[in-house]
Amino acid sequence: MSRAAPPPPVVLGAEEVERHLPRAGLLLSALEAALANFSRGPAGGVAQPVRAVVPIQKHKGFLGVMPAYSANDDALTTKLVTFYEDLKNPLVPSHQATVLLFEPSNGTLQAVMDGSIITAKRTAAVSAIATKLLMPVDSEVLCILGAGVQAYSHYEIFTELFSFKEVKIWNRTKENAEKFARSVNGPVQVCSSAQEAVTGADVIVTVTMVTKPILHGEWVKPGAHINAIGASRPDWRELDDNAMRNSVLYVDSREAALQESGDVILSGAKIFAELGEVLLGTKPAQREKTTVFKSLGMAIEDTVAAKMIFDSWSAGS
């Protein structure tokens, strides 16, 4: 007697994912728990290798594979993400992603979901967690370098959670920065140079596809907090040596930062702590000093987001 085939996986496109995860802020508590569990080591119940990356040299692209299992959430996923440096078609995003969610008890594929919205929202939410812990007290000025998908997701949650009096943006293509300023809810000053945008900022977010430094430490206000999101390859940079070496450096994963982050590897900057260690209370948040949070993004962040989305979908179906 043959066994019945498992049901086919549900497919959740971008609209469905957005419906079940309308705000990045909904992820905050789950992500804080996941970051802390990751930094606990084996006792935290997170199994997550450093992402495997396949270079697609002919087309200047990369394919990343990001599996993770959370014992606390009993959730198993893998994300497939592509990112390309110089796409000629402006309608094609530089980053595209798909998340696969499995039933952990038997390995059945339960869901295939759009991963681009998950990536944008969980990345911005983790930056917000870092910023809450590390930004100067009474921060007033937010600076965003870059005007892509991550710029929008960071602006959305940062203006929801924090009370900035001024927001400044710079982008290599000024038209995209101007479009950003027109699109968001609230006043944004478009700057003609990165230096102009950074000068006087209390919190800085770098969300670019550059491969050479565009943020120089000499521009940074003492005590400012920087969220460095781009430059996810070992030979790519967003921040110069001055910025990296003269800041207290926090990361999502020590292991990943030392293998994947050009900003960390090439500057020789010493990692002070993982964000999860700050959340656990085993390392301090030195908010009185200039700080950098180097975010590479972790698979466990996708896992908790995908589980939340799938549980919400299941409850309504």
Side-chain angles (χ1 to χ4, degrees), residues 70-91:
S70 168
N72 281 24
D73 303 285
D74 198 26
L76 175 66
T77 65
T78 191
K79 182 168 78 177
L80 305 174
V81 56
T82 58
F83 49 105
Y84 283 73
E85 292 181 64
D86 297 311
L87 288 175
K88 300 297 181 271
N89 184 348
L91 299 177

Side-chain angles (χ1 to χ4, degrees), residues 36-299:
N37 286 331
F38 173 79
S39 291
R40 279 194 178 99
V46 173
Q48 174 192 276
V50 174
R51 96 187 94 213
V53 179
V54 179
I56 309 150
Q57 292 179 340
K58 180 178 178 181
H59 301 291
K60 297 184 76 174
F62 301 88
L63 168 66
V65 183
M66 302 173 64
Y69 173 67
S70 168
N72 281 24
D73 303 285
D74 198 26
L76 175 66
T77 65
T78 191
K79 182 168 78 177
L80 305 174
V81 56
T82 58
F83 49 105
Y84 283 73
E85 292 181 64
D86 297 311
L87 288 175
K88 300 297 181 271
N89 184 348
L91 299 177
V92 178
S94 61
H95 291 65
Q96 298 181 71
T98 301
V99 176
L100 310 179
L101 176 77
F102 299 88
E103 166 50 56
S105 64
N106 59 26
T108 298
L109 179 61
Q110 289 184 297
V112 177
M113 57 184 82
D114 176 90
S116 297
I117 288 171
I118 290 173
T119 301
K121 294 195 176 187
R122 61 80 156 151
T123 304
V126 171
S127 295
I129 292 167
T131 301
K132 180 180 69 172
L133 294 169
L134 299 171
M135 73 176 182
V137 178
D138 301 325
S139 290
E140 295 185 347
V141 182
L142 171 65
C143 161
I144 301 174
L145 303 182
V149 170
Q150 287 286 358
Y152 286 89
S153 61
H154 278 74
Y155 176 88
E156 183 180 300
I157 190 168
F158 275 47
T159 53
E160 176 190 335
L161 295 181
F162 311 119
S163 300
F164 294 106
K165 293 181 179 176
E166 185 181 355
V167 180
K168 302 194 286 184
I169 188 168
W170 171 84
N171 191 64
R172 283 187 297 183
T173 307
K174 192 173 185 180
E175 291 81 1
N176 290 342
E178 291 169 342
K179 179 185 174 186
F180 178 97
R182 290 193 304 269
S183 303
V184 299
N185 296 318
V188 175
Q189 177 189 343
V190 176
C191 296
S192 56
S193 69
Q195 181 175 358
E196 181 190 350
V198 168
T199 300
D202 300 295
V203 175
I204 301 162
V205 179
T206 62
V207 278
T208 72
M209 282 289 287
V210 300
T211 57
K212 300 281 189 280
I214 44 94
L215 175 58
H216 295 259
E218 65 193 65
W219 306 337
V220 177
K221 179 180 178 179
H225 171 62
I226 302 164
N227 296 293
I229 313 302
S232 58
R233 299 290 297 150
D235 55 346
W236 292 6
R237 301 285 300 269
E238 281 190 313
L239 280 58
D240 74 352
D241 287 350
N242 184 326
M244 291 298 297
R245 292 173 184 168
N246 293 308
S247 304
V248 182
L249 177 59
Y250 297 81
V251 298
D252 41 17
S253 161
R254 270 193 186 82
E255 184 183 14
L258 293 170
Q259 290 187 38
E260 294 187 300
S261 169
D263 281 327
V264 175
I265 296 164
L266 299 176
S267 70
K270 296 292 181 281
I271 297 168
F272 176 72
E274 290 180 343
L275 200 54
E277 293 176 306
V278 181
L279 291 163
L280 287 169
T282 57
K283 285 288 181 77
Q286 298 195 36
R287 66 165 72 237
E288 73 283 357
K289 298 182 179 178
T290 305
T291 54
V292 170
F293 170 55
K294 177 57 211 170
S295 170
L296 285 158
M298 300 200 298

